[in-house]
Amino acid sequence: QKEVEQDPGPLSVPEGAIVSLNCTYSNSAFQYFMWYRQYSRKGPELLMYTYSSGNKEDGRFTAQVDKSSKYISLFIRDSQPSDSATYLCAMSLSSGSARQLTFGSGTQLTVLP
Amino acid sequence: DTGVSQDPRHKITKRGQNVTFRCDPISEHNRLYWYRQTLGQGPEFLTYFQNEAQLEKSRLLSDRFSAERPKGSFSTLEIQRTEQGDSAMYLCASSPGQGNTEAFFGQGTRLTVV
């Protein structure tokens, strides 16, 4: 079993829809949680960064972390065709100097005009 | 451009050849990471530098792989005797340092071994 599980999709929604993307994880030591957006053949682009449990909002994007359930979510409001991409969740441990990221496998999202 | 820069963007090589990739991190970022991403998967951690010191290596990094960051600025990743299974996107990321784990990625080098 992978440390981070993410539904690969593909997920297809109409423009303007609210999108919910989710990841579950098994390692309770994860403390830092991130969402990256990756367009085809490009590097991942950092969207949201949160520490520990709670919500964080940035424009149309809201990240939620529920450490008790080991579950994180990314919500996209008023989705646009330009949001079509693969969304990767990532997390890292609370201690140690490396802070390398453990990624989910990504969810492919298509927003239809 | 002040982002993470990787060169080349694409590399096609014959099996058994050696290849070297370069990464220039965001200036003043003292942490540098290499990841590998195969189709349909998330990036997997390979190795990590703090300044010029290589502090951690993944089990994925076989002895055919070597990474350096000689002056704590740019880094190189070399793969010797390439195999078809090495075909992947090789991603470099950098982050500011202690207490801040935000990592910013480059566009990657796509390696195809034929």
Side-chain angles (χ1 to χ4, degrees):
Chain A
Q1 185 182 2
K2 292 183 177 181
E3 276 192 296
V4 180
E5 298 280 356
Q6 185 174 7
D7 186 340
L11 180 62
S12 185
V13 301
E15 184 175 355
I18 296 174
V19 176
S20 173
L21 304 167
N22 311 293
C23 288
T24 59
Y25 62 95
S26 57
N27 189 344
S28 58
F30 285 134
Q31 292 283 356
Y32 299 88
F33 303 91
M34 284 137 279
W35 285 94
Y36 286 83
R37 177 174 63 195
Q38 187 172 28
Y39 293 113
S40 180
R41 299 185 176 272
K42 301 288 188 183
E45 170 195 7
L46 181 63
L47 279 178
M48 300 289 284
Y49 167 79
T50 54
Y51 169 70
S52 197
S53 285
N55 294 358
K56 184 174 182 179
E57 188 173 319
D58 184 1
R60 297 185 295 112
F61 298 91
T62 299
Q64 288 186 351
V65 175
D66 181 349
K67 290 193 68 186
S68 63
S69 301
K70 299 191 185 71
Y71 188 86
I72 69 171
S73 301
L74 178 71
F75 297 95
I76 307 174
R77 291 184 298 281
D78 188 26
S79 56
Q80 303 294 311
S82 59
D83 295 328
S84 298
T86 296
Y87 288 80
L88 297 157
C89 63
M91 45 201 80
S92 63
L93 300 174
S94 60
S95 62
S97 61
R99 302 272 178 91
Q100 69 264 30
L101 301 175
T102 301
F103 282 85
S105 56
T107 299
Q108 187 178 343
L109 171 68
T110 301
V111 180
L112 301 170
Chain B
D1 187 347
T2 57
V4 178
S5 176
Q6 291 189 246
D7 183 68
R9 293 291 309 278
H10 305 276
K11 178 72 177 178
I12 299 174
T13 190
K14 291 183 178 179
R15 190 174 50 189
Q17 298 294 305
N18 299 343
V19 293
T20 300
F21 311 138
R22 176 179 170 124
C23 171
D24 287 90
I26 295 171
S27 60
E28 299 178 357
H29 279 193
N30 59 18
R31 295 185 175 187
L32 186 148
Y33 306 81
W34 285 98
Y35 288 81
R36 181 174 71 186
Q37 185 177 25
T38 54
L39 199 62
Q41 300 298 316
E44 295 175 292
F45 170 74
L46 291 178
T47 190
Y48 152 71
F49 290 85
Q50 179 148 327
N51 299 312
E52 66 275 9
Q54 187 174 18
L55 296 185
E56 194 148 341
K57 292 193 283 189
S58 161
R59 291 189 307 272
L60 294 175
L61 211 67
S62 77
D63 53 9
R64 295 186 298 105
F65 288 69
S66 62
E68 295 183 343
R69 194 182 183 196
K71 295 184 180 178
S73 57
F74 73 92
S75 175
T76 58
L77 177 68
E78 181 184 17
I79 309 174
Q80 296 182 326
R81 305 180 304 280
T82 51
E83 302 172 356
Q84 286 188 321
D86 297 331
S87 296
M89 174 84 92
Y90 289 85
L91 293 161
C92 176
S94 68
S95 69
Q98 195 81 19
N100 188 333
T101 193
E102 292 178 87
F104 298 90
F105 283 82
Q107 299 290 9
T109 294
R110 182 169 297 279
L111 173 67
T112 302
V113 181
V114 298

PDB file of all heavy atoms in Angstrom, chain B residues 80-109:
ATOM      1  N   GLN B  80      24.837   6.655 -15.544  1.00  0.00           N
ATOM      2  CA  GLN B  80      25.781   5.876 -16.336  1.00  0.00           C
ATOM      3  C   GLN B  80      25.098   4.611 -16.853  1.00  0.00           C
ATOM      4  O   GLN B  80      24.199   4.068 -16.211  1.00  0.00           O
ATOM      5  CB  GLN B  80      26.987   5.499 -15.477  1.00  0.00           C
ATOM      6  CG  GLN B  80      27.791   6.709 -15.021  1.00  0.00           C
ATOM      7  CD  GLN B  80      29.003   6.311 -14.206  1.00  0.00           C
ATOM      8  OE1 GLN B  80      28.992   5.332 -13.468  1.00  0.00           O
ATOM      9  NE2 GLN B  80      30.076   7.082 -14.347  1.00  0.00           N
ATOM     10  N   ARG B  81      25.552   4.170 -18.029  1.00  0.00           N
ATOM     11  CA  ARG B  81      25.058   2.905 -18.623  1.00  0.00           C
ATOM     12  C   ARG B  81      23.522   2.876 -18.581  1.00  0.00           C
ATOM     13  O   ARG B  81      22.909   1.993 -17.982  1.00  0.00           O
ATOM     14  CB  ARG B  81      25.642   1.702 -17.875  1.00  0.00           C
ATOM     15  CG  ARG B  81      27.157   1.720 -17.806  1.00  0.00           C
ATOM     16  CD  ARG B  81      27.727   0.514 -17.060  1.00  0.00           C
ATOM     17  NE  ARG B  81      27.210   0.368 -15.709  1.00  0.00           N
ATOM     18  CZ  ARG B  81      27.630   1.045 -14.670  1.00  0.00           C
ATOM     19  NH1 ARG B  81      28.582   1.950 -14.815  1.00  0.00           N
ATOM     20  NH2 ARG B  81      27.113   0.826 -13.470  1.00  0.00           N
ATOM     21  N   THR B  82      22.930   3.841 -19.237  1.00  0.00           N
ATOM     22  CA  THR B  82      21.469   3.987 -19.169  1.00  0.00           C
ATOM     23  C   THR B  82      20.752   2.719 -19.610  1.00  0.00           C
ATOM     24  O   THR B  82      21.215   1.968 -20.496  1.00  0.00           O
ATOM     25  CB  THR B  82      20.986   5.159 -20.036  1.00  0.00           C
ATOM     26  OG1 THR B  82      21.539   5.028 -21.353  1.00  0.00           O
ATOM     27  CG2 THR B  82      21.385   6.487 -19.431  1.00  0.00           C
ATOM     28  N   GLU B  83      19.594   2.500 -18.995  1.00  0.00           N
ATOM     29  CA  GLU B  83      18.719   1.375 -19.302  1.00  0.00           C
ATOM     30  C   GLU B  83      17.358   1.929 -19.715  1.00  0.00           C
ATOM     31  O   GLU B  83      17.010   3.062 -19.380  1.00  0.00           O
ATOM     32  CB  GLU B  83      18.567   0.479 -18.068  1.00  0.00           C
ATOM     33  CG  GLU B  83      19.880  -0.060 -17.537  1.00  0.00           C
ATOM     34  CD  GLU B  83      19.722  -0.788 -16.207  1.00  0.00           C
ATOM     35  OE1 GLU B  83      18.593  -0.798 -15.660  1.00  0.00           O
ATOM     36  OE2 GLU B  83      20.733  -1.353 -15.720  1.00  0.00           O
ATOM     37  N   GLN B  84      16.581   1.106 -20.406  1.00  0.00           N
ATOM     38  CA  GLN B  84      15.268   1.583 -20.849  1.00  0.00           C
ATOM     39  C   GLN B  84      14.390   1.978 -19.664  1.00  0.00           C
ATOM     40  O   GLN B  84      13.584   2.900 -19.760  1.00  0.00           O
ATOM     41  CB  GLN B  84      14.595   0.529 -21.713  1.00  0.00           C
ATOM     42  CG  GLN B  84      15.208   0.425 -23.100  1.00  0.00           C
ATOM     43  CD  GLN B  84      14.422  -0.475 -24.027  1.00  0.00           C
ATOM     44  OE1 GLN B  84      13.917  -1.509 -23.612  1.00  0.00           O
ATOM     45  NE2 GLN B  84      14.321  -0.091 -25.286  1.00  0.00           N
ATOM     46  N   GLY B  85      14.564   1.325 -18.552  1.00  0.00           N
ATOM     47  CA  GLY B  85      13.797   1.655 -17.351  1.00  0.00           C
ATOM     48  C   GLY B  85      14.137   3.005 -16.763  1.00  0.00           C
ATOM     49  O   GLY B  85      13.424   3.484 -15.869  1.00  0.00           O
ATOM     50  N   ASP B  86      15.211   3.635 -17.242  1.00  0.00           N
ATOM     51  CA  ASP B  86      15.556   4.979 -16.771  1.00  0.00           C
ATOM     52  C   ASP B  86      14.739   6.053 -17.476  1.00  0.00           C
ATOM     53  O   ASP B  86      14.789   7.224 -17.076  1.00  0.00           O
ATOM     54  CB  ASP B  86      17.050   5.261 -17.017  1.00  0.00           C
ATOM     55  CG  ASP B  86      17.964   4.326 -16.240  1.00  0.00           C
ATOM     56  OD1 ASP B  86      17.559   3.856 -15.154  1.00  0.00           O
ATOM     57  OD2 ASP B  86      19.080   4.059 -16.729  1.00  0.00           O
ATOM     58  N   SER B  87      14.014   5.686 -18.503  1.00  0.00           N
ATOM     59  CA  SER B  87      13.186   6.657 -19.229  1.00  0.00           C
ATOM     60  C   SER B  87      12.150   7.242 -18.281  1.00  0.00           C
ATOM     61  O   SER B  87      11.361   6.507 -17.677  1.00  0.00           O
ATOM     62  CB  SER B  87      12.488   5.993 -20.412  1.00  0.00           C
ATOM     63  OG  SER B  87      13.430   5.544 -21.368  1.00  0.00           O
ATOM     64  N   ALA B  88      12.178   8.553 -18.131  1.00  0.00           N
ATOM     65  CA  ALA B  88      11.314   9.241 -17.166  1.00  0.00           C
ATOM     66  C   ALA B  88      11.533  10.730 -17.305  1.00  0.00           C
ATOM     67  O   ALA B  88      12.405  11.190 -18.054  1.00  0.00           O
ATOM     68  CB  ALA B  88      11.635   8.800 -15.737  1.00  0.00           C
ATOM     69  N   MET B  89      10.751  11.498 -16.524  1.00  0.00           N
ATOM     70  CA  MET B  89      10.997  12.932 -16.366  1.00  0.00           C
ATOM     71  C   MET B  89      11.818  13.101 -15.102  1.00  0.00           C
ATOM     72  O   MET B  89      11.436  12.602 -14.037  1.00  0.00           O
ATOM     73  CB  MET B  89       9.671  13.682 -16.239  1.00  0.00           C
ATOM     74  CG  MET B  89       9.824  15.147 -15.918  1.00  0.00           C
ATOM     75  SD  MET B  89      10.111  16.136 -17.377  1.00  0.00           S
ATOM     76  CE  MET B  89       8.394  16.550 -17.761  1.00  0.00           C
ATOM     77  N   TYR B  90      12.931  13.793 -15.207  1.00  0.00           N
ATOM     78  CA  TYR B  90      13.771  14.057 -14.040  1.00  0.00           C
ATOM     79  C   TYR B  90      13.549  15.515 -13.631  1.00  0.00           C
ATOM     80  O   TYR B  90      13.809  16.442 -14.400  1.00  0.00           O
ATOM     81  CB  TYR B  90      15.238  13.758 -14.343  1.00  0.00           C
ATOM     82  CG  TYR B  90      15.444  12.269 -14.465  1.00  0.00           C
ATOM     83  CD1 TYR B  90      15.208  11.612 -15.675  1.00  0.00           C
ATOM     84  CD2 TYR B  90      15.814  11.497 -13.365  1.00  0.00           C
ATOM     85  CE1 TYR B  90      15.333  10.232 -15.786  1.00  0.00           C
ATOM     86  CE2 TYR B  90      15.947  10.127 -13.457  1.00  0.00           C
ATOM     87  CZ  TYR B  90      15.703   9.497 -14.663  1.00  0.00           C
ATOM     88  OH  TYR B  90      15.817   8.137 -14.764  1.00  0.00           O
ATOM     89  N   LEU B  91      13.058  15.675 -12.420  1.00  0.00           N
ATOM     90  CA  LEU B  91      12.656  16.985 -11.917  1.00  0.00           C
ATOM     91  C   LEU B  91      13.603  17.454 -10.835  1.00  0.00           C
ATOM     92  O   LEU B  91      14.010  16.680  -9.970  1.00  0.00           O
ATOM     93  CB  LEU B  91      11.243  16.921 -11.329  1.00  0.00           C
ATOM     94  CG  LEU B  91      10.108  16.655 -12.322  1.00  0.00           C
ATOM     95  CD1 LEU B  91       8.867  16.161 -11.586  1.00  0.00           C
ATOM     96  CD2 LEU B  91       9.791  17.922 -13.108  1.00  0.00           C
ATOM     97  N   CYS B  92      13.929  18.723 -10.874  1.00  0.00           N
ATOM     98  CA  CYS B  92      14.726  19.356  -9.838  1.00  0.00           C
ATOM     99  C   CYS B  92      13.833  20.352  -9.097  1.00  0.00           C
ATOM    100  O   CYS B  92      12.960  20.991  -9.709  1.00  0.00           O
ATOM    101  CB  CYS B  92      15.911  20.068 -10.473  1.00  0.00           C
ATOM    102  SG  CYS B  92      16.944  20.989  -9.335  1.00  0.00           S
ATOM    103  N   ALA B  93      14.018  20.456  -7.798  1.00  0.00           N
ATOM    104  CA  ALA B  93      13.264  21.416  -6.996  1.00  0.00           C
ATOM    105  C   ALA B  93      14.207  22.082  -6.013  1.00  0.00           C
ATOM    106  O   ALA B  93      15.244  21.518  -5.650  1.00  0.00           O
ATOM    107  CB  ALA B  93      12.123  20.718  -6.256  1.00  0.00           C
ATOM    108  N   SER B  94      13.846  23.282  -5.596  1.00  0.00           N
ATOM    109  CA  SER B  94      14.636  23.939  -4.554  1.00  0.00           C
ATOM    110  C   SER B  94      13.711  24.547  -3.516  1.00  0.00           C
ATOM    111  O   SER B  94      12.532  24.823  -3.802  1.00  0.00           O
ATOM    112  CB  SER B  94      15.573  25.000  -5.149  1.00  0.00           C
ATOM    113  OG  SER B  94      14.851  26.101  -5.667  1.00  0.00           O
ATOM    114  N   SER B  95      14.231  24.720  -2.321  1.00  0.00           N
ATOM    115  CA  SER B  95      13.462  25.356  -1.251  1.00  0.00           C
ATOM    116  C   SER B  95      14.396  26.217  -0.417  1.00  0.00           C
ATOM    117  O   SER B  95      15.612  25.996  -0.398  1.00  0.00           O
ATOM    118  CB  SER B  95      12.738  24.317  -0.391  1.00  0.00           C
ATOM    119  OG  SER B  95      13.646  23.550   0.368  1.00  0.00           O
ATOM    120  N   PRO B  96      13.796  27.202   0.298  1.00  0.00           N
ATOM    121  CA  PRO B  96      14.648  28.205   0.956  1.00  0.00           C
ATOM    122  C   PRO B  96      15.545  27.672   2.058  1.00  0.00           C
ATOM    123  O   PRO B  96      16.698  28.083   2.178  1.00  0.00           O
ATOM    124  CB  PRO B  96      13.626  29.202   1.522  1.00  0.00           C
ATOM    125  CG  PRO B  96      12.399  29.014   0.697  1.00  0.00           C
ATOM    126  CD  PRO B  96      12.378  27.563   0.346  1.00  0.00           C
ATOM    127  N   GLY B  97      15.031  26.765   2.908  1.00  0.00           N
ATOM    128  CA  GLY B  97      15.888  26.318   3.992  1.00  0.00           C
ATOM    129  C   GLY B  97      15.100  25.901   5.209  1.00  0.00           C
ATOM    130  O   GLY B  97      13.901  25.663   5.147  1.00  0.00           O
ATOM    131  N   GLN B  98      15.782  25.822   6.333  1.00  0.00           N
ATOM    132  CA  GLN B  98      15.229  25.296   7.574  1.00  0.00           C
ATOM    133  C   GLN B  98      13.929  25.993   7.926  1.00  0.00           C
ATOM    134  O   GLN B  98      13.825  27.216   7.885  1.00  0.00           O
ATOM    135  CB  GLN B  98      16.241  25.511   8.711  1.00  0.00           C
ATOM    136  CG  GLN B  98      15.972  24.705   9.953  1.00  0.00           C
ATOM    137  CD  GLN B  98      16.471  23.280   9.824  1.00  0.00           C
ATOM    138  OE1 GLN B  98      17.296  22.981   8.974  1.00  0.00           O
ATOM    139  NE2 GLN B  98      15.978  22.393  10.651  1.00  0.00           N
ATOM    140  N   GLY B  99      12.925  25.187   8.266  1.00  0.00           N
ATOM    141  CA  GLY B  99      11.657  25.737   8.693  1.00  0.00           C
ATOM    142  C   GLY B  99      10.703  26.074   7.576  1.00  0.00           C
ATOM    143  O   GLY B  99       9.551  26.392   7.817  1.00  0.00           O
ATOM    144  N   ASN B 100      11.155  25.993   6.335  1.00  0.00           N
ATOM    145  CA  ASN B 100      10.266  26.298   5.215  1.00  0.00           C
ATOM    146  C   ASN B 100      10.383  25.177   4.204  1.00  0.00           C
ATOM    147  O   ASN B 100      11.432  24.993   3.607  1.00  0.00           O
ATOM    148  CB  ASN B 100      10.649  27.628   4.575  1.00  0.00           C
ATOM    149  CG  ASN B 100       9.630  28.071   3.530  1.00  0.00           C
ATOM    150  OD1 ASN B 100       8.949  27.256   2.922  1.00  0.00           O
ATOM    151  ND2 ASN B 100       9.548  29.357   3.301  1.00  0.00           N
ATOM    152  N   THR B 101       9.305  24.444   4.069  1.00  0.00           N
ATOM    153  CA  THR B 101       9.376  23.239   3.248  1.00  0.00           C
ATOM    154  C   THR B 101       8.779  23.424   1.861  1.00  0.00           C
ATOM    155  O   THR B 101       8.709  22.478   1.100  1.00  0.00           O
ATOM    156  CB  THR B 101       8.691  22.074   3.981  1.00  0.00           C
ATOM    157  OG1 THR B 101       9.033  20.853   3.333  1.00  0.00           O
ATOM    158  CG2 THR B 101       7.184  22.231   3.968  1.00  0.00           C
ATOM    159  N   GLU B 102       8.368  24.649   1.510  1.00  0.00           N
ATOM    160  CA  GLU B 102       7.824  24.859   0.171  1.00  0.00           C
ATOM    161  C   GLU B 102       8.895  24.563  -0.865  1.00  0.00           C
ATOM    162  O   GLU B 102       9.993  25.122  -0.797  1.00  0.00           O
ATOM    163  CB  GLU B 102       7.359  26.299   0.009  1.00  0.00           C
ATOM    164  CG  GLU B 102       6.156  26.650   0.843  1.00  0.00           C
ATOM    165  CD  GLU B 102       5.773  28.103   0.691  1.00  0.00           C
ATOM    166  OE1 GLU B 102       5.017  28.411  -0.242  1.00  0.00           O
ATOM    167  OE2 GLU B 102       6.258  28.920   1.479  1.00  0.00           O
ATOM    168  N   ALA B 103       8.571  23.692  -1.796  1.00  0.00           N
ATOM    169  CA  ALA B 103       9.520  23.332  -2.844  1.00  0.00           C
ATOM    170  C   ALA B 103       8.995  23.794  -4.193  1.00  0.00           C
ATOM    171  O   ALA B 103       7.820  23.599  -4.510  1.00  0.00           O
ATOM    172  CB  ALA B 103       9.747  21.824  -2.855  1.00  0.00           C
ATOM    173  N   PHE B 104       9.879  24.398  -4.975  1.00  0.00           N
ATOM    174  CA  PHE B 104       9.531  24.925  -6.284  1.00  0.00           C
ATOM    175  C   PHE B 104      10.273  24.104  -7.337  1.00  0.00           C
ATOM    176  O   PHE B 104      11.482  23.928  -7.250  1.00  0.00           O
ATOM    177  CB  PHE B 104       9.906  26.401  -6.374  1.00  0.00           C
ATOM    178  CG  PHE B 104       9.154  27.243  -5.379  1.00  0.00           C
ATOM    179  CD1 PHE B 104       9.675  27.453  -4.106  1.00  0.00           C
ATOM    180  CD2 PHE B 104       7.944  27.808  -5.700  1.00  0.00           C
ATOM    181  CE1 PHE B 104       8.981  28.212  -3.174  1.00  0.00           C
ATOM    182  CE2 PHE B 104       7.246  28.574  -4.774  1.00  0.00           C
ATOM    183  CZ  PHE B 104       7.760  28.771  -3.514  1.00  0.00           C
ATOM    184  N   PHE B 105       9.525  23.626  -8.316  1.00  0.00           N
ATOM    185  CA  PHE B 105      10.060  22.706  -9.301  1.00  0.00           C
ATOM    186  C   PHE B 105      10.443  23.401 -10.592  1.00  0.00           C
ATOM    187  O   PHE B 105       9.833  24.405 -10.991  1.00  0.00           O
ATOM    188  CB  PHE B 105       9.032  21.613  -9.622  1.00  0.00           C
ATOM    189  CG  PHE B 105       8.935  20.550  -8.572  1.00  0.00           C
ATOM    190  CD1 PHE B 105       8.182  20.745  -7.431  1.00  0.00           C
ATOM    191  CD2 PHE B 105       9.618  19.348  -8.721  1.00  0.00           C
ATOM    192  CE1 PHE B 105       8.095  19.774  -6.455  1.00  0.00           C
ATOM    193  CE2 PHE B 105       9.544  18.358  -7.749  1.00  0.00           C
ATOM    194  CZ  PHE B 105       8.777  18.570  -6.619  1.00  0.00           C
ATOM    195  N   GLY B 106      11.428  22.830 -11.258  1.00  0.00           N
ATOM    196  CA  GLY B 106      11.745  23.209 -12.620  1.00  0.00           C
ATOM    197  C   GLY B 106      10.831  22.484 -13.598  1.00  0.00           C
ATOM    198  O   GLY B 106       9.946  21.722 -13.202  1.00  0.00           O
ATOM    199  N   GLN B 107      11.074  22.725 -14.886  1.00  0.00           N
ATOM    200  CA  GLN B 107      10.234  22.125 -15.921  1.00  0.00           C
ATOM    201  C   GLN B 107      10.605  20.687 -16.222  1.00  0.00           C
ATOM    202  O   GLN B 107       9.882  19.997 -16.924  1.00  0.00           O
ATOM    203  CB  GLN B 107      10.309  22.960 -17.205  1.00  0.00           C
ATOM    204  CG  GLN B 107       9.814  24.380 -17.044  1.00  0.00           C
ATOM    205  CD  GLN B 107       8.312  24.463 -16.851  1.00  0.00           C
ATOM    206  OE1 GLN B 107       7.617  23.465 -16.664  1.00  0.00           O
ATOM    207  NE2 GLN B 107       7.793  25.664 -16.899  1.00  0.00           N
ATOM    208  N   GLY B 108      11.718  20.250 -15.707  1.00  0.00           N
ATOM    209  CA  GLY B 108      12.094  18.853 -15.866  1.00  0.00           C
ATOM    210  C   GLY B 108      12.910  18.580 -17.116  1.00  0.00           C
ATOM    211  O   GLY B 108      12.919  19.367 -18.073  1.00  0.00           O
ATOM    212  N   THR B 109      13.613  17.461 -17.071  1.00  0.00           N
ATOM    213  CA  THR B 109      14.309  16.921 -18.241  1.00  0.00           C
ATOM    214  C   THR B 109      13.672  15.583 -18.568  1.00  0.00           C
ATOM    215  O   THR B 109      13.667  14.684 -17.722  1.00  0.00           O
ATOM    216  CB  THR B 109      15.807  16.714 -17.971  1.00  0.00           C
ATOM    217  OG1 THR B 109      16.437  17.976 -17.771  1.00  0.00           O
ATOM    218  CG2 THR B 109      16.466  15.998 -19.146  1.00  0.00           C
TER     219      THR B 109
END
